[in-house]
């Protein structure tokens, strides 16, 4: 059968589609290019490395990507696919075929975690390529109408389109419902996503739907129900790796560190090439004092993260802590210098300084540890209003207590408590730091008072809002935000109150921009929060094109390209 006959039989016009071939061997690229040309393809780009592929993917929306798993030096195919997914460089209807001679379980599972549309083992014949391409393309084109809404990040509209397509494509209803649930979660419509998962589960016991429902249960605080769902998925399919990660997280949220550790070990054995998984395993092992496992996990995390979009400074700092506990301060300091050099920024420099002090203390060099503590205490005193992120505050408090300082770490832990007053697992970690400092009873009282202070601050603003005093409520929440800039409840309620003002009294550009500034701050603290997309959607519905849409566009530009020009920057209080 000729290629043209295949084309006619499939009814697919391959001619005007855009293709990208990613392979480090020129011979393979030429072979795949000729196979595509035999289909009639005209627009074929090629990349010989992962880095070159990312440049092309950022410039062009490809219809079909053929990507080898092994790409020589630099990113491998899994890392290219992972980054393309994270950066939304592929549309729902785009086809990604992973091509490889790799047959190992860890390679196949690692790639599969990022959901290629097919995994083809070399050697590839033209007939095999065409068959797989035809099968996947037909299936993926049900998402074609959804592409534009997805590209515009209008996830609610994209989800609605998925629902409409179910009636037209009943054979692909499950794929459409899966995408619909994913989009609803992106849009913060958790209850609606749950309804979709329940609908799917009435038809058949799909593990992805059970896992999705488990994530919703976990987000709602029903940790025990979530745990049972994840365990049931694993019992049904011991290779369903997402269920392992979610189960570990549910244990972490319950404060069951040892159980989380056991699950993460199993997950890392099944699919070891995940940067977040190895980081979580290393941090959990370090928390439990299991130095050999922590060292192995952090070293693996650094190795696989070298060319990954998920490369993390946490692995360097964690491994430095491990080296400190092994009395290898020379290696620890080398790692800290490497972290500062590779990642840069004030936050990384601060975290490296804290880790340096902890390393010296854990290795018994109390003089140098005290010197690090003194430098950190001076930094806190110089800028009392500025505080680092939560984990950094906890590490800093741990070090300062260890070197004999009391007032500064107490203030840090009270600050953390006020900003996370309803996070039970985190407050348990705060109490443990007080316990190690031999301040158990005093710590309990400090935590109680700090929680009360935060709750009263938030409740005052909410009460003003509920009694119709919107202007006063907005002003009070500004005060609350300045005092507690990382308190998610206060931030969300502040944005919600501003939106209520816009709904009741008409659109005001300044207030809308302030709400966007608050929400963007939330998203930078904890991406993917359920209320984020909901509130952004409400703002978008209220705004003319020159308002929220322009501000959101400026924010996206800033995230991708650095600071926006002053004339287009939106402001926040």
């Amino acid at each position: 059968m000729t290629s043209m006959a295949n084309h006619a039989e499939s009814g697919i016009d391959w001619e005007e589609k855009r293709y990208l071939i990613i392979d480090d061997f020129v011979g393979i690229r030429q072979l795949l290019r000729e196979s595509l040309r035999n289909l009639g393809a005209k627009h074929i780009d090629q990349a010989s490395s992962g880095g070159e592929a990312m440049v092309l993917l950022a410039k062009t929306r490809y219809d079909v990507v053929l990507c080898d798993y092994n790409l020589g030096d630099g990113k491998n195919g899994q890392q290219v696919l992972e980054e393309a997914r994270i950066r939304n460089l592929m549309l729902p209807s785009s086809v990604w075929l992973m091509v490889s001679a790799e047959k190992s379980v860890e390679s196949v599972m690692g790639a599969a975690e990022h959901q290629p549309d097919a995994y083809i083992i070399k050697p590839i014949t033209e007939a095999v390529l065409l068959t797989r391409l035809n099968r996947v393309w037909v299936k993926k084109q049900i998402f074609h109408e959804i592409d534009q809404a997805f590209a515009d990040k209008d996830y609610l509209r994209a989800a609605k389109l998925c629902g409409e397509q179910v009636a037209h494509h009943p054979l692909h209803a499950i794929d459409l419902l899966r995408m619909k649930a994913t989009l609803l979660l992106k849009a913060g419509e958790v209850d609606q996503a749950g309804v979709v998962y329940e609908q799917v589960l009435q038809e058949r016991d799909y593990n992805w739907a059970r896992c999705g429902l488990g994530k919703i249960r976990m987000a709602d605080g029903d940790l025990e129900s979530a745990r049972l769902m994840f365990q049931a998925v694993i019992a049904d399919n011991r290779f369903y790796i997402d269920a392992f990660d979610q189960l570990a997280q549910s244990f972490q949220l319950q404060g069951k560190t040892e159980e989380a550790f056991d699950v993460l070990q199993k997950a890392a054995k099944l699919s070891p090439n995940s940067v977040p998984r190895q980081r979580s395993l290393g941090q959990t092992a370090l928390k439990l004092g299991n130095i050999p496992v922590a060292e192995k996990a952090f070293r693996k995390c650094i190795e696989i993260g070298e060319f990954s979009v998920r490369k993390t400074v946490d692995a360097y700092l964690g491994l430095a802590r491990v080296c400190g506990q092994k009395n290898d301060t020379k290696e620890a300091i080398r790692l800290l210098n490497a972290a500062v050099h590779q990642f840069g920024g004030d936050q990384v420099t601060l975290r490296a300084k804290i880790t340096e002090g902890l390393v010296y203390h854990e290795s018994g060099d109390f003089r140098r540890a005290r010197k690090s503590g003194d430098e950190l205490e001076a930094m806190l005193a110089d800028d009392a209003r500025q505080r680092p992120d939560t984990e950094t505050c906890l590490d800093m408090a741990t070090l300062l207590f260890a070197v004999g300082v009391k007032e500064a770490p107490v203030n840090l832990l009270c600050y953390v408590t006020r900003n996370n007053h309803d996070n039970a697992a985190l407050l348990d970690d705060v109490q443990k730091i007080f316990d190690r400092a031999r301040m158990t009873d005093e710590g309990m009282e400090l935590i109680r008072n700090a929680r009360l202070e935060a709750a009263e601050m938030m409740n005052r603003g909410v009460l003003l809002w509920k009694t119709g005093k919107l202007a006063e409520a907005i002003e009070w929440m500004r005060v609350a935000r300045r005092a507690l800039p990382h308190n998610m409840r206060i931030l969300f309620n502040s944005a919600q109150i501003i939106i209520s003002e816009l709904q009741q009294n008409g659109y005001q550009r300044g207030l809308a921009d302030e709400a966007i500034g608050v929400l963007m701050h939330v998203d930078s603290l904890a991406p993917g929060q359920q209320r984020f997309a909901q509130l952004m959607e409400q703002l978008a519905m209220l705004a003319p094109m020159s308002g929220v849409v322009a501000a959101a566009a400026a924010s996206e530009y800033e995230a991708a390209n650095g600071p926006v020009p002053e004339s287009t920057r939106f402001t926040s209080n």
Side-chain angles (χ1 to χ4, degrees):
M1 185 183 292
T2 67
S3 296
M4 291 307 293
N6 276 330
H7 161 69
E9 186 178 291
S10 70
I12 299 169
D13 180 8
W14 300 108
E15 190 171 310
E16 292 305 317
K17 304 188 191 328
R18 300 202 68 91
Y19 303 83
L20 175 61
I21 299 169
I22 311 168
D23 199 297
D24 56 329
F25 286 107
V26 63
I28 299 295
R29 293 200 304 275
Q30 289 173 345
L31 179 69
L32 291 172
R33 183 186 63 193
E34 288 308 309
S35 295
L36 291 173
R37 279 183 173 168
N38 288 338
L39 295 177
K42 291 180 178 178
H43 311 294
I44 305 170
D45 290 336
Q46 300 179 49
S48 60
S49 69
E52 189 180 347
M54 291 315 310
V55 172
L56 292 171
L57 284 162
K59 287 180 180 177
T60 304
R61 293 283 191 179
Y62 289 100
D63 298 297
V64 178
V65 176
L66 300 171
C67 180
D68 190 29
Y69 183 87
N70 288 312
L71 297 173
D73 293 337
K75 293 179 188 292
N76 62 30
Q78 174 189 329
Q79 291 166 337
V80 174
L81 174 56
E82 177 182 44
E83 185 167 346
R85 292 281 187 237
I86 288 171
R87 292 173 58 188
N88 287 328
L89 300 180
M90 299 290 289
L91 292 170
S93 66
S94 303
V95 169
W96 189 294
L97 301 182
M98 190 69 80
V99 180
S100 181
E102 283 277 353
K103 297 180 183 179
S104 69
V105 172
E106 68 177 56
S107 296
V108 175
M109 286 194 69
E113 279 194 66
H114 301 289
Q115 300 178 346
D117 297 299
Y119 194 97
I120 307 175
I121 301 296
K122 291 178 180 179
I124 310 165
T125 65
E126 189 173 313
V128 167
L129 175 62
L130 181 59
T131 299
R132 299 301 291 276
L133 196 52
N134 270 327
R135 188 185 306 159
V136 173
W137 182 264
V138 170
K139 184 177 178 181
K140 291 303 288 284
Q141 289 324 288
I142 59 173
F143 296 107
H144 190 69
E145 287 185 36
I146 298 156
D147 282 350
Q148 191 57 54
F150 183 88
D152 293 341
K153 298 187 179 175
D154 190 348
Y155 299 128
L156 282 175
R157 182 166 149 263
K160 184 182 177 185
L161 288 168
C162 283
E164 292 172 358
Q165 290 282 40
V166 169
H168 302 301
H169 302 280
L171 286 175
H172 299 294
I174 295 300
D175 294 306
L176 284 161
L177 289 171
R178 184 174 188 175
M179 174 64 82
K180 181 179 179 180
T182 300
L183 290 164
L184 286 169
L185 286 176
K186 277 179 173 285
E189 295 292 345
V190 181
D191 291 341
Q192 288 187 43
V195 169
V196 175
Y197 287 132
E198 295 277 15
Q199 178 187 345
V200 169
L201 289 170
Q202 285 175 8
E203 298 293 322
R204 185 176 164 187
D205 216 5
Y206 286 98
N207 283 324
W208 59 264
R210 282 197 288 176
C211 226
L213 208 52
K215 291 176 189 177
I216 291 173
R217 298 269 196 277
M218 186 161 63
D220 287 342
D222 189 355
L223 300 175
E224 187 60 19
S225 173
R227 176 186 69 80
L228 292 171
M229 296 191 87
F230 298 137
Q231 287 178 328
V233 171
I234 291 168
D236 186 56
N237 180 357
R238 67 186 185 90
F239 294 107
Y240 201 91
I241 201 72
D242 186 37
F244 283 89
D245 292 336
Q246 301 303 326
L247 178 59
Q249 188 179 345
S250 74
F251 279 133
Q252 296 275 27
L253 291 170
Q254 289 177 296
K256 298 179 178 179
T257 310
E258 290 185 9
E259 289 88 340
F261 173 72
D262 290 340
V263 173
L264 284 167
Q265 272 201 298
K266 290 173 186 171
K269 188 174 181 181
L270 277 172
S271 187
N273 294 328
S274 162
V275 170
R277 185 172 304 122
Q278 292 291 353
R279 180 190 63 209
S280 295
L281 177 58
Q283 290 173 331
T284 307
L286 189 59
K287 208 172 184 179
L288 292 171
N290 191 326
I291 300 306
V293 172
E295 179 172 9
K296 183 180 176 184
F298 285 134
R299 289 197 187 279
K300 180 71 173 177
C301 191
I302 290 171
E303 175 198 331
I304 61 178
E306 181 60 28
F307 300 103
S308 169
V309 68
R310 293 187 181 272
K311 182 176 182 176
T312 172
V313 71
D314 295 342
Y316 290 81
L317 302 179
L319 187 55
R321 290 286 301 278
V322 166
C323 291
Q325 298 204 18
K326 292 173 65 179
N327 290 320
D328 188 353
T329 54
K330 186 176 180 181
E331 170 72 356
I333 299 304
R334 186 191 68 76
L335 284 161
L336 294 175
N337 289 335
V340 171
H341 176 72
Q342 291 190 40
F343 295 89
D346 293 341
Q347 193 69 225
V348 170
T349 302
L350 175 63
R351 293 183 67 193
K353 174 58 70 177
I354 295 165
T355 306
E356 178 187 87
L358 291 168
V359 164
Y360 284 136
H361 188 267
E362 287 160 357
S363 62
D365 191 339
F366 301 120
R367 184 183 64 80
R368 282 199 173 103
R370 178 70 209 210
K371 184 173 181 289
S372 295
D374 289 343
E375 290 173 4
L376 288 168
E377 191 178 11
M379 288 166 62
L380 286 173
D382 285 344
D383 196 350
R385 292 186 61 187
Q386 291 296 320
R387 292 287 182 269
D389 63 83
T390 297
E391 288 301 319
T392 305
C393 283
L394 296 182
D395 286 342
M396 194 185 299
T398 299
L399 172 62
L400 291 171
F401 274 139
V403 298
V405 179
K406 182 178 178 181
E407 184 180 350
V410 164
N411 289 338
L412 279 173
L413 294 180
C414 287
Y415 172 83
V416 167
T417 301
R418 287 193 298 273
N419 277 280
N420 301 274
H421 70 282
D422 55 356
N423 186 333
L426 180 61
L427 296 182
D428 187 50
D429 288 339
V430 171
Q431 182 62 52
K432 285 174 182 173
I433 296 174
F434 278 125
D435 292 345
R436 288 195 294 271
R438 300 183 180 182
M439 293 177 60
T440 299
D441 293 340
E442 189 179 346
M444 289 174 68
E445 183 66 14
L446 286 164
I447 289 171
R448 191 184 73 81
N449 290 337
R451 290 186 69 193
L452 190 62
E453 183 184 337
E456 287 177 348
M457 185 168 279
M458 183 181 70
N459 291 340
R460 180 173 170 182
V462 172
L463 182 61
L464 288 167
W465 171 35
K466 295 295 185 185
T467 53
K469 299 174 182 175
L470 281 171
E472 293 162 77
I474 290 170
E475 190 54 48
W476 175 254
M477 294 308 281
R478 287 173 182 149
V479 172
R481 291 201 320 260
R482 284 193 290 270
L484 301 177
H486 302 320
N487 188 302
M488 305 293 286
R489 292 276 297 280
I490 284 175
L491 292 168
F492 274 131
N493 283 334
S494 181
Q496 184 73 73
I497 291 168
I498 292 172
I499 290 169
S500 293
E501 166 68 21
L502 298 178
Q503 289 169 336
Q504 290 187 30
N505 299 314
Y507 182 80
Q508 300 170 56
R509 171 67 187 270
L511 280 179
D513 285 353
E514 180 180 346
I516 288 175
V518 172
L519 290 172
M520 289 301 174
H521 178 51
V522 168
D523 200 45
S524 69
L525 292 172
Q529 287 291 304
Q530 295 162 11
R531 288 181 69 188
F532 172 79
Q534 287 176 318
L535 295 176
M536 287 296 287
E537 182 75 9
Q538 288 180 36
L539 279 165
M541 290 170 69
L542 289 166
M545 281 300 292
S546 60
V548 171
V549 175
S555 174
E556 284 186 31
Y557 180 95
E558 190 167 10
N561 305 292
V564 297
E566 202 62 42
S567 60
T568 59
R569 183 187 297 276
F570 63 84
T571 60
S572 67
N573 283 23

